[in-house]
Amino acid sequence: MGIRFILMVNKQGQTRLAQYYEWLTLEEGRALEGEIVRKCLARNEQQCSFVEHRNYKIVYRRYASLFFLVGVDNDENELAILEFIHLLVETMDRHFGNVCELDIMFHLEKAHFMLEEMVMNGCIVETSKANILTPVQLLEKTS
Amino acid sequence: MNPFSSGTRLRDMIRAIRSCKTAAEERAVVRKECAAIRAAISENDQDYRHRNLAKLMFIHMLGYPTHFGQMECLKLIASSGFPEKRIGYLGLMLLLDERQEVLMLVTNSLKQDLNHSNQYIIGLALCALGNICSAEMARDLAPEVERLLQFRDPNIRKKAALCSIRIIKKVPDLAENFINPAASLLREKHHGVLITGIQLCTDLCKVSSEALEYFREKCTEGLVKTLKDMANSPYAPEYDIAGITDPFLHIRLLKLLRILGQGDADASDCMNDILAQVATKIESNKNAGNAILYECVGTIMSIEDNGGLRVLAINILGRFLSNRDNNIRYVALNMLMKAITVDAQAVQRHRATILECVKDSDASIRKKALDLVYLLVNESNVKPLTKELIEYLEASDQEFKGVLTAKICSLVEKFSPEKIWYIDQMLKVLSEAGNFVKDEVWHALIVVISNASDLHGYSVRALYRAFQTSAEQETLVRVAVWCIGEYGDMLVNNVGMLDIEEPITVSASLSIESSVAGSLLGSLSASLKIFVTESDAVDALEVSIKRHNSDLTTKAMALIALLKLSSRFPSCSERIKDIILQNKRSFVLELQQRSIEFNCILQKHQNIRSALVERMPVLDEATFSGRRAGSLPTSVSTSTGTARNLPNGIAKPAAAPVADLLDLSSDDAPAPSSSGGDFLQDLLGVDLSPASAPPGTSQPPKAGTDVLLDLLSIGTSPPAQSSSSASNILSSIQDDKASLANLNGLASLTSLSPNATSASPAPMMDLLDGFGPSPQRKEENGPAYPSLVAYESSTLRMTFNISKQPGNPQTTLIQAIFTNLSPNVYNDFLFQAAVPKFLQLHLDPASSNTLPASGNGSITQSMKVTNSQHGKKSLVMRIRIAYKINNKDVLEEGQVSNFPRDL
């Protein structure tokens, strides 16, 4: 398993989406999110996108007001995860059209569905945006 | 109904939460929503179930408990519609975990959905199973998943592959069933199936060596071909990133090849060409390309040696390291750390660049580089590298200093070629960042100094100089204080001057520019050749006691050092007495007590003083390092446990009282380990063994003398080289009695009483003036133990006060105190106890049979337990307590097994 969790956090540090691939209790999750957000949001643009925290490596990237933070194992390819974050954002962009924080807040389930099509049990399932979005769009049509 | 079309209420909730200005407001909104959802759940509201769950997911994300919604997930999953199932499964993955029993209830629904005719529903079930499945579910549902690996739609196959990973991780026995289907996935064209299939194979290799052999044999060539096709494939818009087709797939392939090639020359040979092609052809101007190169380097480094490829890989890393992008530099450092085990020489070539990275402005890079430097150091380059690191220590920012000092100290300790170099480096670190140094480190330094007898003078002079410039570094002050106490005479008389040393002058203490960190040997502006006087040394100690930010340990150490100097510097003894006396009014009990005790020694026991404050014997390096490895973390609790015993801590292992006296109540004070004395206690304890006690003065230990033992912190087991007669006594006595024997030596030394045997407790008493009568009273009752809570329920607490009769080790006196924790009065209170056959119990009548409510009084009852197997078995007791609340009988029973062991 490579990816341990995916977080989306706004620049005030509020969690907008959290998906864990290993079980943490509510309190552990909250504490972890707090620590990571404090660590990552304090860094500037020039610094590298990787932070080691506890036994995780956090790969993060900022898009406008939203931070995407991915916790991975230590032997995961950091650059690939960075590329994956970009793919995730592009996919959401294609669906929402210039995705923003509010899109994710008000369509939390949809964001989760998209993520589910991309990552399962901490592994990447699909890398084609069309394949990822087909089931999501199908769902919209039927409802 | 569907959660998306009926989103108004969900939207309303999110808006309401967003408009909250304070956390309290948000909590109020969430509480209201949760209440509404609970109500809906209990009414079994069908229409809004999915919407409620969507809200719960949002609330869960905000970090509020949502366990009450778990059953709703199960109901939604069991419903027939796709949208309901969808949100039900999502809720299941977010709100539940595999450890909850509720999850077992979902197994059946999952099984049905895995066999559903609608492939999207199958997809949902697979996804949920892949994310949360437990070992039991894995066993139950493995056949379904295995079948789905051959499903007609690739979108199901890819999910089934990842689901299989979860299953084989939970139940590795099932791995062999998946080997064949996994191998066939590798021949697919669909990228999703391919990438998941490769991951499944990777994980199979990890859990089963049989699978590894199989894939190595059958699939290596195929995988190489897949990689080759992909590397040469024409533009594929759907998978293209920066001109490269599906970098994710590239990376997964390289990862699997790494596992197959590792330790197998044939397989490694087979992939050499394609690796060379990837390493040379992939463009490195975009992140995606670099990600592949990075993975490729990792693979080349792991597979069996091929000289040409390795050079290629190291060159790529060199290019990465000089890249301006911090991300690239970070991964380069990361990979060099792995490469160092393979080719240390090649990594050493980049040493200069890596050292630069230690000074980077980016914390992540600094830390990685430091880790790497740490691995690079060996005997031959330790001096220049340490020099670099220490120089950087001055410039580094506060938060990095902690890590950096730890690393430097560890390097210096590990590779130090000679003691003087070690001492010099440690001094530099201490003066630069002493506040970041861990306790073990400065303890180790003291041990080393103590062992280097030819460097005592050098060390104390260097420390004195460093102290003048860096008095704000706590640990430096501690080491300096200790050394001045021990070797103060060498400081003043310049004993054992080394050729390289400049004579120390007072001007050194005045001029800041002669910073010790800069150069110990640097020429001082020594216009005045006045040597350090005795009073200068006392000044230093006085400063460290009086400085407001010195902590307790430092002050306590300084007091001891003063006591030691009082005999070494007779000319200053009046002044020292004054300083010690000033602490008599200290608010800190520890200092107050110490000051009173030391004052007694100075005033009333001139004749033993010089023996008391002898230089400490050489500390044993082996004991110290062993202790350091073993017991440090666990010992803290022991120390706080025994510390309460301080004033009359007698019946403890010999090591404990000493630690007690010096246990400075801070967490970082090392505490006694079972193996004997602790370092700090060795450090501070006055060791009596060299005292010239006439042989054969041993006398039966008296309880009263133990107080003195406490007071003077007599070292536990003196090192073997002390040649005095006292050690002869010691050697014949067991370890834990050693200190008592020491004491006997002392008792006879005092020679205050003509008849030492009978009167020995008496002269000791005057040492106690100033701390009240209570210890004296206690000691007549023999050894004391901390009171223990023998039984506690929500309504009642029973505390045991334990004592021993002197001269009768088998018998234990126990006073039981009962406290009522409930608001009701207990009537007809009756306590009964039973003991095993090797014990005899005698129970006295209780003080009352009514126990007032809420702890407003207590019942006491005494008992006497005689242990016929004293020393072999410890006490144990079954108890039964009966009483009445409002005429209703209540019975509480329990077992007491937490007695101290040696009763």
Side-chain angles (χ1 to χ4, degrees), chain B residues 18 20 24 43 60 89 97 106 123 233 342 349 362 375 649 658 707 787 809 844:
Chain B
R18 261 168 66 79
C20 292
E43 283 163 22
H60 176 82
Y89 276 120
D97 81 293
V106 90
S233 73
V342 180
R349 276 204 299 278
D362 184 335
L375 293 177
V658 187
V707 177
S787 67
D844 288 334

Side-chain angles (χ1 to χ4, degrees), chain B residues 112 125 327 354 462 559 565 872:
Chain B
Q112 278 173 7
N327 288 344
I354 296 167
L559 271 181
L565 286 191
K872 291 182 209 145

Side-chain angles (χ1 to χ4, degrees), chain A residues 23 48-50 52 121 143, chain B residues 2 99 131 327 362 364 368:
Chain A
W23 176 252
C48 70
S49 309
F50 317 120
E52 278 165 51
N121 194 25
S143 59
Chain B
N2 156 312
R99 276 172 285 175
N131 278 340
N327 288 344
D362 184 335
S364 293
K368 261 277 130 44

